[in-house]
PDB file of all heavy atoms in Angstrom:
ATOM      1  N   SER A 333     114.654 -19.963  -2.942  1.00 96.00           N
ATOM      2  CA  SER A 333     114.730 -20.681  -4.215  1.00 96.00           C
ATOM      3  C   SER A 333     114.581 -19.720  -5.382  1.00 96.00           C
ATOM      4  O   SER A 333     114.019 -18.625  -5.250  1.00 96.00           O
ATOM      5  CB  SER A 333     113.631 -21.747  -4.276  1.00 96.00           C
ATOM      6  OG  SER A 333     113.763 -22.655  -3.208  1.00 96.00           O
ATOM      7  N   LEU A 334     115.081 -20.143  -6.535  1.00 97.00           N
ATOM      8  CA  LEU A 334     114.974 -19.354  -7.764  1.00 97.00           C
ATOM      9  C   LEU A 334     113.913 -19.991  -8.651  1.00 97.00           C
ATOM     10  O   LEU A 334     114.121 -21.066  -9.214  1.00 97.00           O
ATOM     11  CB  LEU A 334     116.325 -19.319  -8.483  1.00 97.00           C
ATOM     12  CG  LEU A 334     117.488 -18.723  -7.680  1.00 97.00           C
ATOM     13  CD1 LEU A 334     118.804 -18.879  -8.430  1.00 97.00           C
ATOM     14  CD2 LEU A 334     117.229 -17.261  -7.362  1.00 97.00           C
ATOM     15  N   LEU A 335     112.783 -19.329  -8.756  1.00 97.00           N
ATOM     16  CA  LEU A 335     111.651 -19.876  -9.490  1.00 97.00           C
ATOM     17  C   LEU A 335     111.057 -18.805 -10.393  1.00 97.00           C
ATOM     18  O   LEU A 335     110.975 -17.642 -10.020  1.00 97.00           O
ATOM     19  CB  LEU A 335     110.564 -20.376  -8.526  1.00 97.00           C
ATOM     20  CG  LEU A 335     110.968 -21.383  -7.450  1.00 97.00           C
ATOM     21  CD1 LEU A 335     109.795 -21.653  -6.521  1.00 97.00           C
ATOM     22  CD2 LEU A 335     111.468 -22.666  -8.069  1.00 97.00           C
ATOM     23  N   GLY A 336     110.621 -19.211 -11.579  1.00 96.00           N
ATOM     24  CA  GLY A 336     109.887 -18.310 -12.460  1.00 96.00           C
ATOM     25  C   GLY A 336     110.657 -17.929 -13.706  1.00 96.00           C
ATOM     26  O   GLY A 336     111.763 -18.414 -13.972  1.00 96.00           O
ATOM     27  N   GLU A 337     110.057 -17.053 -14.484  1.00 97.00           N
ATOM     28  CA  GLU A 337     110.643 -16.608 -15.747  1.00 97.00           C
ATOM     29  C   GLU A 337     111.781 -15.617 -15.492  1.00 97.00           C
ATOM     30  O   GLU A 337     111.637 -14.691 -14.684  1.00 97.00           O
ATOM     31  CB  GLU A 337     109.561 -15.946 -16.610  1.00 97.00           C
ATOM     32  CG  GLU A 337     110.002 -15.607 -18.023  1.00 97.00           C
ATOM     33  CD  GLU A 337     108.868 -14.985 -18.830  1.00 97.00           C
ATOM     34  OE1 GLU A 337     108.039 -14.263 -18.230  1.00 97.00           O
ATOM     35  OE2 GLU A 337     108.814 -15.210 -20.053  1.00 97.00           O
ATOM     36  N   VAL A 338     112.900 -15.815 -16.169  1.00 97.00           N
ATOM     37  CA  VAL A 338     114.014 -14.886 -16.001  1.00 97.00           C
ATOM     38  C   VAL A 338     113.685 -13.588 -16.733  1.00 97.00           C
ATOM     39  O   VAL A 338     113.003 -13.601 -17.764  1.00 97.00           O
ATOM     40  CB  VAL A 338     115.340 -15.479 -16.528  1.00 97.00           C
ATOM     41  CG1 VAL A 338     115.665 -16.781 -15.823  1.00 97.00           C
ATOM     42  CG2 VAL A 338     115.307 -15.672 -18.034  1.00 97.00           C
ATOM     43  N   PRO A 339     114.139 -12.449 -16.237  1.00 97.00           N
ATOM     44  CA  PRO A 339     113.802 -11.178 -16.889  1.00 97.00           C
ATOM     45  C   PRO A 339     114.491 -10.967 -18.225  1.00 97.00           C
ATOM     46  O   PRO A 339     114.010 -10.187 -19.064  1.00 97.00           O
ATOM     47  CB  PRO A 339     114.258 -10.128 -15.866  1.00 97.00           C
ATOM     48  CG  PRO A 339     115.257 -10.811 -15.010  1.00 97.00           C
ATOM     49  CD  PRO A 339     114.855 -12.255 -14.975  1.00 97.00           C
ATOM     50  N   GLU A 340     115.612 -11.664 -18.453  1.00 97.00           N
ATOM     51  CA  GLU A 340     116.399 -11.382 -19.660  1.00 97.00           C
ATOM     52  C   GLU A 340     115.900 -12.106 -20.904  1.00 97.00           C
ATOM     53  O   GLU A 340     116.135 -11.654 -22.031  1.00 97.00           O
ATOM     54  CB  GLU A 340     117.865 -11.771 -19.429  1.00 97.00           C
ATOM     55  CG  GLU A 340     118.556 -11.017 -18.306  1.00 97.00           C
ATOM     56  CD  GLU A 340     118.451 -11.737 -16.965  1.00 97.00           C
ATOM     57  OE1 GLU A 340     117.619 -12.676 -16.856  1.00 97.00           O
ATOM     58  OE2 GLU A 340     119.196 -11.373 -16.042  1.00 97.00           O
ATOM     59  N   VAL A 341     115.227 -13.259 -20.730  1.00 97.00           N
ATOM     60  CA  VAL A 341     114.828 -14.081 -21.881  1.00 97.00           C
ATOM     61  C   VAL A 341     113.374 -14.524 -21.705  1.00 97.00           C
ATOM     62  O   VAL A 341     113.035 -15.198 -20.735  1.00 97.00           O
ATOM     63  CB  VAL A 341     115.735 -15.329 -22.028  1.00 97.00           C
ATOM     64  CG1 VAL A 341     115.333 -16.130 -23.272  1.00 97.00           C
ATOM     65  CG2 VAL A 341     117.200 -14.933 -22.107  1.00 97.00           C
ATOM     66  N   LYS A 342     112.540 -14.165 -22.657  1.00 97.00           N
ATOM     67  CA  LYS A 342     111.134 -14.532 -22.597  1.00 97.00           C
ATOM     68  C   LYS A 342     110.958 -16.044 -22.729  1.00 97.00           C
ATOM     69  O   LYS A 342     111.617 -16.698 -23.542  1.00 97.00           O
ATOM     70  CB  LYS A 342     110.372 -13.820 -23.731  1.00 97.00           C
ATOM     71  CG  LYS A 342     108.866 -13.949 -23.670  1.00 97.00           C
ATOM     72  CD  LYS A 342     108.285 -13.168 -22.517  1.00 97.00           C
ATOM     73  CE  LYS A 342     106.755 -13.237 -22.546  1.00 97.00           C
ATOM     74  NZ  LYS A 342     106.175 -12.624 -21.339  1.00 97.00           N
ATOM     75  N   ASN A 343     110.058 -16.588 -21.889  1.00 97.00           N
ATOM     76  CA  ASN A 343     109.694 -18.011 -21.906  1.00 97.00           C
ATOM     77  C   ASN A 343     110.812 -18.944 -21.441  1.00 97.00           C
ATOM     78  O   ASN A 343     110.741 -20.152 -21.662  1.00 97.00           O
ATOM     79  CB  ASN A 343     109.189 -18.458 -23.281  1.00 97.00           C
ATOM     80  CG  ASN A 343     107.809 -17.899 -23.585  1.00 97.00           C
ATOM     81  OD1 ASN A 343     107.224 -17.186 -22.781  1.00 97.00           O
ATOM     82  ND2 ASN A 343     107.289 -18.212 -24.765  1.00 97.00           N
ATOM     83  N   LEU A 344     111.845 -18.385 -20.806  1.00 98.00           N
ATOM     84  CA  LEU A 344     112.857 -19.205 -20.148  1.00 98.00           C
ATOM     85  C   LEU A 344     112.594 -19.152 -18.641  1.00 98.00           C
ATOM     86  O   LEU A 344     112.701 -18.096 -18.020  1.00 98.00           O
ATOM     87  CB  LEU A 344     114.272 -18.695 -20.439  1.00 98.00           C
ATOM     88  CG  LEU A 344     115.406 -19.414 -19.690  1.00 98.00           C
ATOM     89  CD1 LEU A 344     115.467 -20.891 -20.075  1.00 98.00           C
ATOM     90  CD2 LEU A 344     116.750 -18.736 -19.948  1.00 98.00           C
TER      91      LEU A 344
END
Side-chain angles (χ1 to χ4, degrees):
S333 301
L334 301 174
L335 306 175
E337 188 179 33
V338 302
E340 299 92 346
V341 183
K342 189 70 176 173
N343 288 0
L344 175 62

